[in-house]
Amino acid sequence: MTSEGPLKNKNRHRAVFWLGIGISAFFLFLVFRSIDGAKLMTALRTMDSRFLVPAVAATLFSYYLRAYRWKLLLLEDKQTSMANLFSATSIGYMANNLLPARVGELVRVYVLGEKEGIDKGTVFASLVLDRLFDGFSVLFILLATLFTLHLPGDDAEIRSALVTGGYVTVVAYLAIIIFLVLLKKKTVITLRFAAMLLKPFPPRLAEKVIPLLGSFIKGIRLTSQPKILAGLVASSVAIWAFALWPIDLALQSFGIELPLTASLFIMVLLVIAVLVPASPGYIGTYHYACFKALTAFGISGEQAVSVALVIHALNFFPITLVGLYYLARGRMSLSGLRKDNGSLTTPQPPPESGGGAR
């Protein structure tokens, strides 16, 4: 076996990393090109830091609610520990903020699978459902924003972008649902088709992917129990409510009085910005989306950048620090996580016992 394959993968990952850095740099340029540094510092000094305490608390609680929703999605497979779920969630989001290629979801799968002794295909399938709940929540927020938001001057360009984003998101999530239904109903045919598609690749790849795909298909299921379904819907509403509140608090900290629909509008643009390939932590794209949303309401460029910096910091530093804490507590490292994710392509039998709280 030659080193050509690993070398190609390394070069590809490096190219993706630098592409993300370039995209982030481009959007940072768009944000700061007309900003007066002195006015920016003056705007930052006007912030009332007392609003940051509840904003940080709400942000972290939204991640705890994510862990709880994940628990509900796995309930029919195992009664998982909230401590393990929250630590895996924190480490995963921390990894998205610090590591390239957005490996956070794979990190979440690996960490929880190891700690709870759950098949990693099942864990990954639960995260697919988790993302679907997020997707439909965002669609609901987007529709609410489109029907209730009134921008000063009625910015046709932004409204058109929202409508286009809404159509694209609807089509994407409908396609995912159709794919999952077909995958579940026609498992054997799907696995044969996948094996046929993998024929041009080394046989070793098929030996790894097919068992994982089979495990993933078996793991894709949504409970029919009304109580759990109600919990999933309620937790989804709470997750996004506690994600929305810090945005409103950040605006208030700068003395900006805007309706709640403005915070919804900012959040929708931030969700869209996160989908754009960028450097770890969504630097640049995140700031640009927030900047454009605020300037659409007539907020000055310097104040808009100040708010964007604070909102990004609220979503970056708290969960990153908590994730690093759990990483250290579990005696893991960032480099180790990147290497260990390779084990996700090799299904392994679960350990004898699922680990304790970290």
Side-chain angles (χ1 to χ4, degrees):
M1 183 177 176
T2 67
S3 60
E4 185 179 350
L7 184 61
K8 282 184 178 179
N9 285 335
K10 187 176 181 180
N11 289 336
R12 182 171 60 84
H13 291 156
R14 188 177 296 166
V16 170
F17 171 75
W18 285 111
L19 176 63
I21 294 293
I23 291 173
S24 289
F26 172 71
F27 280 103
L28 285 175
F29 167 75
L30 293 180
V31 171
F32 286 98
R33 61 180 172 173
S34 59
I35 298 300
D36 184 303
K39 290 182 179 179
L40 175 61
M41 295 307 298
T42 300
L44 283 168
R45 281 194 289 267
T46 65
M47 182 186 68
D48 186 345
S49 59
R50 290 175 298 178
F51 285 91
L52 298 185
V53 175
V56 169
T59 299
L60 290 177
F61 188 59
S62 72
Y63 287 108
Y64 187 82
L65 289 170
R66 286 187 174 279
Y68 177 71
R69 184 176 64 184
W70 197 8
K71 180 183 179 71
L72 294 179
L73 287 169
L74 287 166
L75 205 54
E76 294 191 345
D77 292 291
K78 186 176 182 181
Q79 185 71 249
T80 47
S81 157
M82 275 301 298
N84 286 341
L85 287 159
F86 183 62
S87 66
T89 299
S90 301
I91 292 172
Y93 279 94
M94 175 273 297
N96 270 342
N97 286 340
L98 298 181
L99 297 178
R102 302 186 183 183
V103 298
E105 299 307 302
L106 294 180
V107 167
R108 287 173 70 185
V109 171
Y110 173 78
V111 172
L112 190 70
E114 289 294 304
K115 286 189 163 298
E116 289 285 346
I118 307 176
D119 176 75
K120 293 183 177 68
T122 299
V123 179
F124 184 68
S126 71
L127 285 184
V128 171
L129 293 175
D130 182 80
R131 286 307 184 199
L132 283 174
F133 272 96
D134 273 343
F136 285 110
S137 299
V138 171
L139 280 177
F140 178 80
I141 294 169
L142 178 60
L143 289 173
T145 304
L146 283 173
F147 284 108
T148 60
L149 182 68
H150 297 285
L151 294 171
D154 194 20
D155 194 320
E157 181 185 348
I158 293 178
R159 187 170 292 276
S160 175
L162 280 177
V163 172
T164 302
Y167 281 128
V168 170
T169 308
V170 168
V171 171
Y173 277 96
L174 284 177
I176 290 172
I177 290 172
I178 292 170
F179 171 74
L180 293 177
V181 169
L182 292 175
L183 202 61
K184 187 70 177 176
K185 297 288 186 182
K186 306 290 183 180
T187 302
V188 175
I189 295 174
T190 303
L191 289 177
R192 287 176 182 169
F193 182 67
M196 183 181 70
L197 291 177
L198 290 170
K199 278 186 177 180
F201 299 93
R204 189 176 175 184
L205 179 64
E207 290 172 6
K208 292 180 178 180
V209 170
I210 296 302
L212 181 61
L213 185 59
S215 178
F216 168 76
I217 293 170
K218 286 186 287 185
I220 284 286
R221 59 177 177 272
L222 187 62
T223 181
S224 58
Q225 296 184 38
K227 184 183 288 188
I228 297 178
L229 285 172
L232 289 168
V233 173
S235 59
S236 295
V237 172
I239 285 167
W240 288 96
F242 278 94
L244 177 68
W245 190 27
I247 296 175
D248 187 60
L249 289 170
L251 293 175
Q252 291 183 55
S253 72
F254 285 93
I256 299 173
E257 296 294 334
L258 289 175
L260 187 62
T261 51
S263 296
L264 284 171
F265 174 60
I266 293 169
M267 188 162 68
V268 167
L269 288 192
L270 291 177
V271 170
I272 294 172
V274 166
L275 299 177
V276 179
S279 67
Y282 321 110
I283 294 171
T285 53
Y286 201 93
H287 299 86
Y288 181 74
C290 193
F291 171 78
K292 288 294 289 183
L294 287 165
T295 52
F297 285 97
I299 306 300
S300 69
E302 286 77 16
Q303 194 171 34
V305 172
S306 300
V307 176
L309 290 170
V310 170
I311 292 177
H312 181 263
L314 286 171
N315 283 278
F316 183 90
F317 289 107
I319 195 62
T320 299
L321 292 174
V322 172
L324 288 171
Y325 163 76
Y326 280 115
L327 193 73
R329 187 175 173 180
R331 297 181 180 179
M332 293 181 285
S333 67
L334 287 173
S335 59
L337 284 178
R338 293 184 68 181
K339 292 177 183 176
D340 289 336
N341 281 329
S343 66
L344 289 177
T345 59
T346 309
Q348 300 171 350
E352 291 295 324
S353 60
R358 299 174 56 200

